[in-house]
Structure formats: structure tokens, C-alpha cells
Amino acid sequence: MNQRAEFTASLEQSAFWMPFTANRQFKKAPRLLARAEGMYYWTPEGRQVLDACAGLWCVNAGHCRPKIVQAIQQQAAEMDFAPTFQMGHPIAFEFAERLAAIAPERFKRVFFTNSGSESVDSALKIALAYHRARGEPGRFRLIGRERGYHGVNFGGVAVGGLGANRKLFGPGVAGVDHLRHTHDVARNAFSRGQPAHGAELAEDLERLCTLHDPSTIAAVIVEPVPGSAGVLIPPVKYLERLREICTKHGILLIFDEVITGFGRLGKPFGSQRLGVMPDLFTIAKGMTNGTVPMGAVIVRDDIYDAFMHGPEGIELFHGYTYSGHPLACAAGIGALDTYEEEGLLERAASLEKHWENAIHALKGERNVIDIRNFGLMGAIELSPRQGAPGSRGYNALVKCFEAGVLTRYTADTLAFSPPLIVEKAQIDRIFETVRTVLQTLE
């Protein structure tokens, strides 16, 4: 038995229970990554793989960037951990100020978490506590959206709208309802940028307000652009109408910007690109360039002030052992330095048209039923195989990896979100590889 075969055989009994993975299938034919730099991964055998999805939507500045690596190394040698319960350390305050500086106006308060999932649960709790702090404890309902993904903690799963993420775990959090999703292939297939049809779906929120009484609704949470559901671009004027309805009824609007933050749409945050301001928003992934797990909730100043005007003492009974972890803060500052020095938070805007033309050039290829793009996000939706939904998307993922391009799949949709350092020639290579794969895929 050769070395690779021996290693593969050992994986089948590995202790590692892999997340969001068909463990038995994967361990029989593993796809392993051993090294990374810039736009590329390398397999243990030394084969180069072009990263077309920024790791997992998170490596926005590319892999192993020197400033970030050095910042983590230096901080680990100086101070590995410090608590932020009744204590503090300077780098957490510094990083919060740096984030506030690129946030929209009037969003200058940052609550640190350790992941996008924790950011969502924290945002939901802040929303509930805010209404209680201002004398409206009857606002307890939370509204999510079908096909939304908000992480895997109980709050995020409850407001999320992906059936596979919910069906094993029971009802979860009570008092949750969902808006209809906006994905409409019949009317919007092959839209470039925001689709023309679907703004009227925001009126679904008025329906839920009538059903539940708006005075019981604390918050609505949506992704500006749902990523994990397959890059579902918001229709023109849809988010604007959600904002209007929330304002009318005193409901907080939460944007989940875990994916759309840090340059993915050509601005620091998706709200800035789309011109619609939430009341609070969640971030993670790109805030440390994926190097050290970290997330945050950024809140509007007056929401923070509502807590500060209450009785003396702890204003919000919430937090995590690793909130504002020194290594994560150092990584985040290194990431912001890299983004700023290389203009990466705006770079997607200069590449968007080339990206759009390259991905839409696959219209007409076998089994392609829709193509979508916005910023440096894109998706190619394939028709499902009869009786085996998702298998065509998975097969395309495997064949792309074998051909040297790492992508993502959700059911029968291939999703793309390359590091923001991507060059036009690399964009062309991504979609020419996908074209070749689609032409050979049954």
C-alpha cells in the first residue's frame, strides 16, 4: 500500500468529526489542503489550487499575508490572553476604534464575539434587551427570512431559513417567523447585478406585522446578499422597503454582514454599497482575514446610549471568554492595515464588470439555468438531476477541485467569492475551468 493509500485508509477511522461534511464519503476520497499563499492553496502532493471562494468567504486579502502573520506572531509573544470581563487590554480598544472608523456614520460601538454565529445571537439579544431598556419588553418576536443563513447557534438557526440546518434540532427559539425569500428564477434569471423584479416581496413584513401585531416584533434580520443559500441578490428597492417598514413600526433592522463585510461588494460594508442602513449589523470572517476566529456586532450610537442611561452596573449581561481576544485583535488590525494599504475594501468595484462578463459568459452551457453576480460574489445555478438534487452541484465541485480551482456548492448552485487580490487573468481561469467541467458533467 502506498503512502497516500495508507493515509486515506487511516482517515476513515479518524477522530475528526467534520462539520457540514458527508464524513463517510469524504474520508474515502479526501480533498486535502496543506499550504496556502496569496491566491492559492497547495495539496499535500504539491498540486496548486486557485482559491475561488476566499477559503470560506473569509480570506479577503489572500492567504498568509505578511502584516497579518507578523501581527499574530508578535502578539502571541507579548501577551497570549487577557480577560475582558471587568478588565481590559489596549489592543481591543484600538481594534474597536479602527472598525468604527470604517463603519457607516453613527455606528461607533463594537461588541466583540468569536464567530459569525455568535455575532448573530449577540445581535438578537442586544435587540431584545434594547427594547426592554427603553420600556417595551413586549417586543420579543424575531423575523428572519426563508433561505437565510445566520450561523448555527440556536438563535441563528431559528431565524435562519435553510431547512437542512433546522430539521434535526427541533423548534429552537420560540417567537420566530420568516419572510418569503426573493429568489425568482422565472422572472430574474441571468440578471446582472440587482434583479428588477421582487421589491414587492418586502410587503411580506407588513403581513407578518398584521398577523403578530408589530408592537410584539423586536427585530428583522436579513443578509444584504444571502451567500450560503447560493448568492441571492436583493431585488432593486427591496431592502429600501424593508427599511421603511421597520422604521414605521419601531422594529430594529439587523443586517448579517458576515459575508458582505470587508470589501466583498466594493465598499467596507454591504450597507454602504446598497445605500440602506440597518440599526445594527454583524461581522466576522474578513475582519481577521480568516486567520483567528473573531466576530462582532456594530450598533448605532443611540442603541448603545439606551443601555448607558439605565441603572449603574453591568448594562448587558452577555459576553464570551474570548471576546476581544488579543491575538484576534492583532490579526484584525493587521488585516485592516493590509486592506487600507492595498485599497482592497474598494477593489471589487474596479473588477466587478470583468467579473460579471466572465461569469455570464457561461450562459448557455449545459444544465445552467441561472447566473447571478454582485460585487465579487457570483453563482451559477444548475438544473437538478431527477431524484438526486444536489448531486450535480457536488460533482461539479469535485471536478473543479481536480482541475485546480476551489469553489463552493449549495445544492445545485456553484458559488464564487475570490480573495479581493484576484487578477483578471485569474478570474478568466476560474470560469474557463468551470466551463470545461460543465461541458463534461452529466
Side-chain angles (χ1 to χ4, degrees), residues 215-382:
S215 69
T216 68
I217 300 175
V220 172
I221 181 168
V222 297
E223 300 156 277
V225 181
S228 297
V231 187
L232 309 181
I233 316 301
V236 173
K237 299 299 183 182
Y238 171 82
L239 292 174
E240 289 88 337
R241 183 58 183 145
L242 277 188
R243 174 70 276 177
E244 290 172 359
I245 297 171
C246 286
T247 300
K248 171 185 173 183
H249 294 297
I251 300 167
L252 294 182
L253 178 61
I254 304 171
F255 277 0
D256 185 339
E257 293 237 31
V258 169
I259 285 176
T260 55
F262 299 98
R264 182 56 52 194
L265 302 183
K267 293 284 186 180
F269 301 104
S271 60
Q272 295 162 319
R273 165 66 189 274
L274 289 157
V276 180
M277 289 299 126
D279 299 297
L280 55 164
F281 62 95
T282 64
I283 57 174
K285 293 189 184 290
M287 70 185 291
T288 65
N289 202 47
T291 55
V292 180
M294 194 179 207
V297 183
I298 301 184
V299 306
R300 212 176 55 217
D301 297 352
D302 61 298
I303 294 176
Y304 175 83
D305 290 343
F307 288 91
M308 298 305 116
H309 291 155
E312 288 292 325
I314 297 173
E315 298 90 1
L316 180 68
F317 273 82
H318 178 64
Y320 304 96
T321 298
Y322 300 114
S323 292
H325 193 284
L327 266 65
C329 289
I333 292 170
L336 290 183
D337 287 343
T338 303
Y339 293 146
E340 181 178 349
E341 291 173 10
E342 300 181 15
L344 295 181
L345 297 183
E346 294 78 28
R347 190 167 188 267
S350 66
L351 292 170
E352 185 167 359
K353 182 55 66 173
H354 188 88
W355 173 261
E356 178 179 282
N357 290 335
I359 191 170
H360 279 275
L362 274 66
K363 181 179 181 180
E365 292 296 337
R366 183 188 298 179
N367 299 310
V368 173
I369 61 174
D370 190 22
I371 296 174
R372 306 180 283 276
N373 71 283
F374 198 57
L376 275 182
M377 299 176 71
I380 300 171
E381 187 168 347
L382 309 176

Side-chain angles (χ1 to χ4, degrees), residues 60-101:
N60 289 8
H63 295 277
C64 296
R65 300 305 308 274
K67 272 189 177 296
I68 305 173
V69 172
Q70 292 164 11
I72 295 169
Q73 291 173 333
Q74 180 178 338
Q75 185 59 50
E78 182 176 318
M79 183 173 67
D80 52 356
F81 175 80
T84 52
F85 294 5
Q86 308 297 336
M87 299 294 293
H89 56 87
I91 195 169
F93 291 90
E94 179 185 353
F95 188 33
E97 292 295 331
R98 291 286 301 274
L99 289 169

Side-chain angles (χ1 to χ4, degrees), residues 68 214 365 399 412 414 419:
I68 305 173
E365 292 296 337
K399 287 180 175 291
D412 287 298
L414 296 178

Side-chain angles (χ1 to χ4, degrees), residues 5-25:
E6 290 176 356
F7 181 72
T8 300
S10 70
L11 277 186
E12 293 194 50
Q13 301 302 319
S14 171
F16 182 23
W17 190 345
M18 300 174 68
F20 279 116
T21 300
N23 278 249
R24 289 165 293 180
Q25 182 185 51

Side-chain angles (χ1 to χ4, degrees), residues 1-10 45:
M1 184 180 291
N2 61 38
Q3 186 175 7
R4 178 178 174 82
E6 290 176 356
F7 181 72
T8 300
S10 70
E45 302 80 22

Side-chain angles (χ1 to χ4, degrees), residues 93-170:
F93 291 90
E94 179 185 353
F95 188 33
E97 292 295 331
R98 291 286 301 274
L99 289 169
I102 64 170
E105 187 178 358
R106 298 186 299 119
F107 286 81
K108 303 304 178 189
R109 304 297 179 176
V110 180
F111 189 95
F112 285 123
T113 70
N114 307 295
S115 67
S117 294
E118 289 184 0
S119 295
V120 166
D121 276 31
S122 297
L124 298 176
K125 290 177 74 175
I126 289 170
L128 294 168
Y130 165 77
H131 288 298
R132 181 174 288 273
R134 53 191 296 275
E136 291 192 78
R139 289 189 181 268
F140 67 94
R141 295 190 190 277
L142 303 168
I143 307 297
R145 185 169 58 186
E146 295 173 354
R147 298 191 68 168
Y149 177 74
H150 301 293
V152 295
N153 291 351
F154 270 97
V157 169
V159 295
L162 295 176
N165 289 8
R166 298 159 58 88
K167 66 182 182 181
L168 295 181
F169 310 114

